[in-house]
């Protein structure tokens, strides 16, 4: 009858390797700039939508300058469960920190840069894309876009 003898050093080496691999896995999965998405399926295509931050300026009859900011297009349409990468390009001269109401999606669009926002909604409805800098009527017209999920 044969026996397999494993030394204590071998067991400790295997355990140390497993701890290192688990730490690496945890680092890649939970690092700050990564997003874990559990409801996306890899076999379907991702649609791309382009959007810009637009700045509109005008003057009143007495010469006072007026300005307003907007998302363009102001409304996008998605199907429930559809995967979309929303690319927002910063055109205006300001930063636009934003969030999507009813979700934990947020970010920032800066002039001359493009921000990619992955979207996939499992519930139909209308979600507001709100610029935190221009969210109120005291900035003329609020900078609010709409994501309509059918």
């Amino acid at each position: 009858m044969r026996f397999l003898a494993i030394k204590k050093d071998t067991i400790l080496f295997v355990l140390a390797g497993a701890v290192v691999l688990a730490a690496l896995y945890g680092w890649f999965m939970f690092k700050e700039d990564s997003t874990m998405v559990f409801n996306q399926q890899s076999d379907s295509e991702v649609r791309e939508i382009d959007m810009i931050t637009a700045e509109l300026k005008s003057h009143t009859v007495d010469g006072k300058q007026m300005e307003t900011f907007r998302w363009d297009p102001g409304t996008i349409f998605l199907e429930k469960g559809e995967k979309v990468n929303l690319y927002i390009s910063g055109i205006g001269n300001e930063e636009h920190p934003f969030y999507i109401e009813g979700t934990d999606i947020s970010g920032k669009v800066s002039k001359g840069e493009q921000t990619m926002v992955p979207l996939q909604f499992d519930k139909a409805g209308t979600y507001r894309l709100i610029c935190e800098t221009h969210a109120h009527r005291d900035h003329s017209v609020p900078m609010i876009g709409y994501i309509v999920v059918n």
Side-chain angles (χ1 to χ4, degrees):
M1 179 181 269
R2 293 186 170 201
F3 291 98
L4 176 63
I6 300 175
K7 295 182 180 182
K8 183 169 82 171
D9 292 341
T10 304
I11 293 173
L12 291 175
F13 180 75
V14 169
L15 286 175
V19 168
V20 169
L21 288 175
L24 285 172
Y25 175 78
W27 183 77
F28 280 109
M29 291 301 292
F30 299 108
K31 66 182 181 176
E32 185 176 325
D33 62 344
S34 66
T35 303
M36 292 180 61
V37 180
F38 293 103
N39 59 347
Q40 289 192 353
Q41 298 171 7
S42 61
D43 59 347
S44 62
E45 289 189 30
V46 178
R47 182 164 62 117
E48 295 181 350
I49 298 175
D50 291 297
M51 178 181 277
I52 64 168
T53 61
E55 177 180 352
L56 306 171
K57 291 185 180 182
S58 185
H59 292 86
T60 62
V61 175
D62 62 357
K64 180 181 174 186
Q65 181 173 317
M66 300 169 42
E67 68 179 356
T68 189
F69 298 88
R70 60 170 280 146
W71 305 106
D72 194 357
T75 304
I76 60 173
F77 297 89
L78 291 80
E79 295 297 321
K80 187 170 76 169
E82 179 183 19
K83 290 191 279 187
V84 171
N85 285 338
L86 176 62
Y87 292 93
I88 309 173
S89 297
I91 305 299
N93 64 354
E94 296 198 25
E95 288 189 342
H96 301 280
F98 67 87
Y99 65 96
I100 298 176
E101 196 173 58
T103 72
D104 22 341
I105 299 171
S106 63
K108 179 177 72 172
V109 181
S110 299
K111 181 178 183 175
E113 296 181 10
Q114 187 176 69
T115 301
M116 194 276 286
V117 184
L119 301 174
Q120 185 177 28
F121 295 90
D122 59 359
K123 184 178 177 188
T126 300
Y127 298 84
R128 298 190 319 159
L129 171 63
I130 301 173
C131 172
E132 295 180 49
T133 304
H134 307 102
H136 305 288
R137 297 227 178 266
D138 57 351
H139 285 100
S140 185
V141 177
M143 186 176 178
I144 298 174
Y146 298 93
I147 302 169
V148 178
V149 179
N150 296 313

